[in-house]
Amino acid sequence: MLELWKERLRRHQLDQFKYLRLIFNDTFVIAFMVLLGALGFWYSNVLDTIHSELWFGKIVIALILFIAVQTGHIASLMEDPDSTFLLVREKEFYQYFRSAQNYSRYLPIFFIVVVTFLISPFAFKAANISILNLVLLGVSAAAYKMLLLDVELLGLYKKNKVWGIDSKLFANIAYLIVLLISVYTLLMIAPLVTVVVWFAVATRTKKLIESGQLQWQKAIADENQRMFRVKRFYNLFTDVPGVSSKIKRRKWLDFLFSGIKNEHKNTYFYLFARGVVRNNEYMGLFLRLTIIQAILLCLIDNFYISLIVEMLFIYLVGFQLKPCFKEVMQNLMQRLYPVSGKSKIADFTKISNILLLIQWFVSIFAVLYKFGFSINSLIIIVAGLLVIGFVNYFYMPRQLKKYLN
């Protein structure tokens, strides 16, 4: 079984590296670095405003650690045919799941370490928690994450209830209570309790796997669902085979199309407008980036960083709209419409213009909120408008021509 796990892990990692290489392209890295810099600058400004312990500081630390431990699930790498071909080897799965658990721990524990490191200045100033005590809380979070993975594994063996309550929900409530008690009394309580409970659950998990009955369909369904969520994330940045975004009717938005006249020249304009509104991927991307941009502009009071955020986010939304045009052009049936390529590009540019101008309009309020009616606000607003012109009338038409043939 160990050889089977190694072989599957090798295939899985090759698959992941293929997508990660496409995601971490130059554009994404630049956007990520700017976003990280903006958040770091905002965090630094917030810390400067804290001069004494806050009454809610310890609650914030407990909640951040609690949220951090919820990331990541057990990667069992189970496949659909397993229930048929591996059923006879059910009791040999201990080594397989042990390796799966070890692999599933790396990323969540690394994430917990990073979060613990990032909240350390806030914990010291706002919650009066020393570095040593924060390390103890971090250890408790890491131990609890390993405990959660054991609880997930027990769920695959039909042991998912504690006193009639879902075991994961029960564990989360208990951990949150222990965490809050620890930060207000003795910080040693959280690591001690979580480590002891984790060892007890791990011992029970081993016995159960060696003698219990695996819920094959649940294990396979959980793994398929986990991989689908991962690929949906990848699909935001690159095409992933087998993953398609959901299309919704959204009848309540029909009024948006009432202004489009039923004429031949509006054929593709109507098609693109309907496509963007119905597609969860593009609508979600537009809304998320617009909201994040507005929040960042409201928080950052540095002119140069605000200028970069304004220009970068407008460019990113325009850049990410390109696949929508490509998807329509790949549909062979649309070629039956007697519409020229130039007209198709012009219609898509109209849609892109409308979306980017809405985003720009929303950002104006955030800029005015932070900088007021000043020359800095004017420069940022005009810069956003220039990026819209660059994207829609210089960059986009050249890129879209590639998809016409």
Side-chain angles (χ1 to χ4, degrees):
M1 297 305 293
L2 204 54
E3 291 303 316
L4 176 67
W5 165 258
K6 287 179 181 176
E7 172 58 25
R8 287 188 176 179
L9 180 61
R10 189 186 64 78
R11 279 194 280 122
H12 173 72
Q13 288 177 333
L14 284 175
D15 200 38
Q16 301 306 300
F17 288 144
K18 181 178 70 180
Y19 291 121
L20 288 173
R21 195 174 62 249
L22 294 172
I23 290 172
F24 285 95
N25 53 37
D26 294 345
T27 307
F28 180 83
V29 170
I30 291 170
F32 183 71
M33 289 177 69
V34 170
L35 190 62
L36 210 60
L39 288 173
F41 188 78
W42 168 77
Y43 186 41
S44 172
N45 286 343
V46 169
L47 289 176
D48 288 340
T49 63
I50 301 172
H51 303 293
S52 60
E53 184 180 344
L54 303 175
W55 65 269
F56 57 84
K58 289 175 178 169
I59 298 175
V60 171
I61 294 295
L63 288 177
I64 290 174
L65 285 176
F66 178 73
I67 293 169
V69 298
Q70 305 304 318
T71 56
H73 297 278
I74 187 165
S76 67
L77 306 187
M78 298 287 285
E79 296 177 359
D80 291 336
D82 288 353
S83 59
T84 303
F85 296 104
L86 295 178
L87 185 62
V88 293
R89 303 185 67 180
E90 189 175 40
K91 293 186 179 178
E92 301 173 29
F93 258 79
Y94 175 69
Q95 281 296 334
Y96 182 93
F97 279 130
R98 189 178 171 189
S99 302
Q101 271 188 314
N102 289 335
Y103 172 71
S104 307
R105 286 169 183 161
Y106 297 137
L107 198 57
I109 290 179
F110 173 74
F111 182 67
I112 289 168
V113 170
V114 171
V115 169
T116 307
F117 173 74
L118 291 177
I119 62 174
S120 57
F122 180 82
F124 182 71
K125 294 188 76 172
N128 197 23
I129 296 175
S130 67
I131 298 300
L132 178 62
N133 285 333
L134 189 64
V135 170
L136 289 174
L137 287 176
V139 170
S140 80
Y144 178 67
K145 185 64 218 180
M146 292 189 276
L147 168 66
L148 266 186
L149 293 175
D150 278 333
V151 169
E152 278 187 38
L153 195 51
L154 284 173
L156 300 183
Y157 283 83
K158 220 175 179 178
K159 300 293 180 186
N160 55 350
K161 297 283 183 186
V162 178
W163 297 327
I165 306 172
D166 181 80
S167 52
K168 192 173 179 182
L169 177 64
F170 181 84
N172 277 331
I173 293 171
Y175 179 64
L176 188 57
I177 293 171
V178 168
L179 210 51
L180 288 171
I181 291 173
S182 294
V183 294
Y184 280 103
T185 56
L186 185 62
L187 285 160
M188 280 297 292
I189 294 174
L192 278 175
V193 170
T194 48
V195 169
V196 169
V197 176
W198 172 47
F199 274 116
V201 173
T203 306
R204 190 186 174 206
T205 306
K206 181 182 178 184
K207 290 177 182 175
L208 195 68
I209 294 174
E210 288 175 340
S211 60
Q213 292 184 335
L214 177 64
Q215 304 297 303
W216 289 90
Q217 296 307 319
K218 176 175 169 51
I220 293 167
D222 285 358
E223 178 59 15
N224 287 340
Q225 189 62 30
R226 189 189 70 83
M227 283 308 302
F228 182 73
R229 286 196 298 269
V230 172
K231 287 183 176 178
R232 272 189 66 185
F233 172 75
Y234 293 159
N235 199 48
L236 292 174
F237 304 92
T238 185
D239 293 334
V240 178
V243 178
S244 58
S245 51
K246 289 183 180 176
I247 306 295
K248 289 189 177 178
R249 170 70 177 85
R250 294 196 174 92
K251 193 175 180 180
W252 56 281
L253 287 177
D254 280 355
F255 73 93
L256 294 174
F257 313 110
S258 58
I260 304 176
K261 292 182 180 178
N262 189 16
E263 296 176 353
H264 175 75
K265 64 178 183 181
N266 288 332
T267 303
Y268 273 80
F269 182 52
Y270 186 80
L271 188 66
F272 289 132
R274 280 283 187 190
V276 169
V277 169
R278 286 185 175 188
N279 193 307
N280 276 355
E281 185 179 339
Y282 299 113
M283 279 296 284
L285 184 79
F286 169 71
L287 291 174
R288 279 195 299 273
L289 288 181
T290 303
I291 292 169
I292 292 172
Q293 180 192 15
I295 292 173
L296 286 175
L297 289 172
C298 285
L299 295 175
I300 299 167
D301 54 8
N302 183 284
F303 165 71
Y304 295 105
I305 296 180
S306 296
L307 182 66
I308 292 172
V309 168
E310 170 78 357
M311 297 171 70
L312 184 69
F313 274 75
I314 290 175
Y315 171 75
L316 283 177
V317 171
F319 177 80
Q320 298 288 356
L321 286 175
K322 273 193 314 176
C324 179
F325 184 82
K326 182 184 173 184
E327 284 177 12
V328 175
M329 291 304 109
Q330 284 178 337
N331 186 338
L332 292 178
M333 296 303 292
Q334 58 85 22
R335 297 190 182 188
L336 296 175
Y337 298 152
V339 179
S340 66
K342 190 177 177 182
S343 178
K344 294 173 186 175
I345 292 175
D347 286 338
F348 190 78
T349 304
K350 285 182 194 172
I351 297 297
S352 177
N353 252 333
I354 292 170
L355 291 174
L356 295 187
L357 284 172
I358 291 172
Q359 182 188 6
W360 174 75
F361 188 69
V362 171
S363 73
I364 288 177
F365 290 97
V367 171
L368 292 178
Y369 167 77
K370 203 63 193 177
F371 294 98
F373 291 95
S374 62
I375 190 69
N376 285 350
S377 296
L378 184 65
I379 293 173
I380 295 171
I381 292 168
V382 171
L385 209 53
L386 289 175
V387 174
I388 294 174
F390 168 78
V391 169
N392 286 330
Y393 298 103
F394 181 78
Y395 173 76
M396 192 79 85
R398 285 166 173 74
Q399 294 292 316
L400 299 185
K401 279 181 185 174
K402 299 175 184 175
Y403 304 128
L404 287 176
N405 299 316

